[in-house]
Amino acid sequence: MVWKRWAALGLSLALLLGLTACGQEPQPAESPEPETPAVEAPAPTTADPSLTDLRTTLAEKDSPWAIAFLGDLSQGSSPEDLLAETNYPETYPFLTDITGDQVVTYEGTEVYCVVPQDENASLTVQTCICGEDGQPIPQETIYQGDGQPVILVCNVSDIIPNLLVTVTAPGGSPVSYAPGLSLCDGSVALPADSAIYDFSLYPDAPKGNTDTDFLGSWTATVTQEGREVLCQLDFQSDGTMTYRVGYPDSEWMDVLEGTFYVIETSSQYPVGSVLFEMTSTMDKSPFWGVFSLENSGSALTVTHISGDSLLYGFDGQAITLTAR
């Protein structure tokens, strides 16, 4: 019976060698992993339809960006307060979503909104000063972002803007503009050849007297800082004008020539007021001013409203001239 023992031992050894040759040990059966419940991805954020529609309009007009004048801030108010007093939230609801860093506040009270056509564009806002040629000179960068809309608060002066906006579309050239208002009608003063789109909501202009019954030549002698000064205004039917100023019995100290414009529609100035736009023939300095003109027949009362006044120290004052 010894051979049977050796046979059993040999069989056991063979089985052990077989398992070692495979290099594996018996593994316990794997239990199935519990299923992870599906998690729904958050819905993508979509732009306000009014913003989408505006950008579609810009694409159709091939305009790189749009601007709107929202109004003037009163003392202690905010852009949010201003919007609440206008029809803008109803027409362009996206304006109420512009908050935080997208509200760029600088010196002044005029409020604008800027919207690039391309949301991937770059938008830069810089402070600026006016150069000798009347063009803005950029200074400090106070905002830099992508193509999201921004609200600007700026402009202390009626005629000299203090912020410069530059929008650059991907692969495109930069398009810059210093926001400001026209002295003629209070609209955004875009250059005639500008591709920028104005989406402002302008109120219906009230009707007023826009007669040019002040045509002719008028003169007055007024006292300025204790000394008599002679002023002479000449208005021509072709819209040109001349203003002379000097001391009696002496040569004119300055002669300015240019044009006048009777304001027919404006959200800023009285209808019927007159814009004087002239240049000095002596030193080439520009003159911009808005005045009300009242002709009583033999006298013309010229009251300063905004911009340059006819004489230094006469801001907001009236000068009464007589017909020559």
Side-chain angles (χ1 to χ4, degrees), residues 12 20 35 40 63 77 79 106 143 150 173 179 215 263 285 291 299:
S12 299
T20 304
E35 294 185 3
E40 294 185 4
S63 296
S77 65
Y106 193 52
Y143 175 86
V150 298
S173 299
L215 297 180
I263 297 173
S285 59
F291 302 83

Coordinates of all heavy atoms in Angstrom, one line a residue, residues 12 20 35 40 63 77 79 106 143 150 173 179 215 263 285 291 299:
S12 N -0.6 15.6 -5.3 CA -0.7 16.8 -4.5 C 0.4 17.8 -4.9 O 0.2 19.0 -5.1 CB -0.6 16.6 -3.0 OG -1.7 15.8 -2.6
T20 N 1.7 27.4 -8.8 CA 2.8 28.3 -8.7 C 3.2 28.7 -10.1 O 3.6 29.9 -10.4 CB 4.0 27.6 -8.0 OG1 3.5 27.1 -6.8 CG2 5.2 28.5 -7.9
E35 N -24.5 51.6 -7.9 CA -24.6 52.6 -9.0 C -24.7 54.0 -8.4 O -25.3 54.2 -7.4 CB -25.9 52.3 -9.8 CG -25.8 51.0 -10.6 CD -27.1 50.8 -11.4 OE1 -27.9 51.8 -11.4 OE2 -27.2 49.8 -12.1
E40 N -27.6 65.9 -12.8 CA -27.9 66.8 -14.0 C -26.9 68.0 -14.0 O -26.7 68.6 -13.0 CB -29.3 67.3 -14.0 CG -30.3 66.2 -14.1 CD -31.7 66.7 -14.2 OE1 -31.9 68.0 -14.2 OE2 -32.7 65.9 -14.3
S63 N -21.4 97.3 -36.7 CA -20.9 98.3 -35.7 C -20.1 97.5 -34.6 O -20.6 96.6 -34.1 CB -22.1 99.0 -35.0 OG -22.8 99.8 -35.9
S77 N -27.3 110.6 -5.9 CA -27.9 109.5 -6.6 C -26.9 108.5 -7.2 O -25.8 108.9 -7.4 CB -29.0 110.0 -7.6 OG -28.3 110.6 -8.7
P79 N -26.3 105.3 -10.4 CA -26.8 104.9 -11.7 C -28.1 104.0 -11.6 O -29.0 104.1 -12.4 CB -25.6 104.1 -12.3 CG -24.4 104.7 -11.7 CD -24.8 105.0 -10.3
Y106 N -16.1 107.9 -12.6 CA -15.0 108.9 -12.6 C -15.7 110.2 -12.3 O -16.8 110.3 -11.8 CB -14.3 108.8 -14.0 CG -13.0 109.6 -14.0 CD1 -12.0 109.3 -13.0 CD2 -12.8 110.6 -14.9 CE1 -10.8 110.0 -13.0 CE2 -11.6 111.3 -15.0 CZ -10.6 111.0 -14.0 OH -9.4 111.6 -14.0
Y143 N -10.1 100.7 -16.2 CA -10.9 99.5 -16.4 C -10.4 98.8 -17.6 O -10.1 99.4 -18.6 CB -12.4 99.8 -16.6 CG -13.3 98.6 -16.9 CD1 -13.8 97.8 -15.8 CD2 -13.5 98.2 -18.2 CE1 -14.5 96.7 -16.1 CE2 -14.3 97.1 -18.5 CZ -14.8 96.3 -17.4 OH -15.5 95.2 -17.7
V150 N -20.7 97.7 -19.9 CA -20.3 98.5 -18.7 C -21.1 99.8 -18.7 O -21.6 100.3 -19.7 CB -18.7 98.9 -18.8 CG1 -17.9 97.6 -18.7 CG2 -18.4 99.7 -20.0
S173 N -9.4 95.8 -35.4 CA -8.6 97.0 -35.0 C -9.4 97.7 -33.9 O -10.6 97.6 -33.8 CB -8.5 97.9 -36.2 OG -7.8 97.3 -37.3
P179 N -16.8 109.6 -24.8 CA -18.3 109.9 -24.8 C -18.5 111.4 -24.4 O -17.9 111.9 -23.5 CB -18.8 108.9 -23.7 CG -17.9 107.8 -23.7 CD -16.5 108.4 -24.0
L215 N -31.3 138.3 -36.1 CA -30.4 138.6 -37.2 C -30.1 140.1 -37.3 O -31.0 140.9 -37.0 CB -30.9 138.1 -38.6 CG -31.1 136.6 -38.7 CD1 -31.6 136.2 -40.1 CD2 -29.9 135.8 -38.4
I263 N -31.2 125.7 -31.4 CA -31.5 124.4 -31.0 C -33.0 124.1 -31.1 O -33.8 124.7 -30.4 CB -31.0 124.2 -29.5 CG1 -29.5 124.4 -29.5 CG2 -31.4 122.9 -28.9 CD1 -28.9 124.4 -28.1
S285 N -8.0 130.2 -30.7 CA -8.7 129.5 -29.6 C -10.2 129.3 -29.9 O -10.8 130.1 -30.5 CB -8.5 130.2 -28.3 OG -9.1 131.5 -28.3
F291 N -26.7 130.1 -25.4 CA -27.3 131.3 -24.9 C -28.8 131.3 -25.3 O -29.2 130.7 -26.3 CB -26.6 132.5 -25.5 CG -25.1 132.6 -25.3 CD1 -24.2 131.9 -26.1 CD2 -24.6 133.4 -24.2 CE1 -22.9 132.0 -25.9 CE2 -23.3 133.5 -24.0 CZ -22.4 132.8 -24.8
A299 N -33.8 146.1 -28.6 CA -32.7 145.5 -27.8 C -32.7 144.0 -27.9 O -33.7 143.4 -28.1 CB -32.8 146.0 -26.4

